[in-house]
Amino acid sequence: QVQLVESGGGLVQPGGSLRLSCTASGSFATINTMGWYRQAPGKQRELVASIRRNGAINSADSVKGRFTISRRDNAKNTVYLQMNSLKPEDTAVYYCNAELGVTIYTSRAYWGQGTQVTVSS
């Protein structure tokens, strides 16, 4: 049983910062990619940032220069999303996503339960 456990959401004023964390646990062979998506009310879920096993990072243009994705140094099953200079339009439910190698031949995508981020004065 694989679980993605998220933490770190909350209410913050515009210009403030938050850090989200996500830890993958359970039975899997490899972590191919871990990252964060978000979904605002009435909008589609969108990629915020992801990090591949080789360390390559992909991020949305709207967050570049403000958000940083990273991995815990001694445990690559944990990723962080440092969010700075938050704007009201960053308000959304943020979901952790992981593509995990479940066997040597197959991989599967998993989702966390989501954590609310609200940016408001």
Side-chain angles (χ1 to χ4, degrees):
Q1 185 94 6
V2 173
Q3 278 191 313
L4 301 182
V5 179
E6 305 153 337
S7 63
L11 172 65
V12 64
Q13 292 187 341
S17 298
L18 284 173
R19 189 174 84 153
L20 306 182
S21 66
C22 174
T23 298
S25 63
S27 180
F28 50 87
T30 59
I31 298 175
N32 299 329
T33 306
M34 285 188 76
W36 293 92
Y37 286 70
R38 67 185 180 186
Q39 187 166 20
K43 295 189 176 181
Q44 288 189 328
R45 192 173 295 189
E46 62 176 1
L47 173 70
V48 177
S50 63
I51 184 166
R52 298 191 61 83
R53 185 166 53 171
N54 64 3
I57 290 173
N58 185 28
S59 59
D61 288 343
S62 60
V63 306
K64 285 179 180 176
R66 301 188 299 123
F67 292 10
T68 302
I69 190 169
S70 62
R71 287 186 299 214
R72 185 175 169 186
D73 287 341
N74 61 349
K76 293 184 177 179
N77 64 326
T78 298
V79 292
Y80 304 105
L81 185 68
Q82 178 66 44
M83 304 185 293
N84 299 328
S85 302
L86 282 159
K87 305 175 181 179
E89 50 264 44
D90 295 317
T91 295
V93 178
Y94 284 68
Y95 295 92
C96 181
N97 169 267
E99 182 187 314
L100 305 177
V102 293
T103 70
I104 194 170
Y105 301 113
T106 60
S107 62
R108 181 180 167 184
Y110 293 87
W111 293 92
Q113 78 280 4
T115 185
Q116 178 70 45
V117 171
T118 302
V119 185
S120 175
S121 55

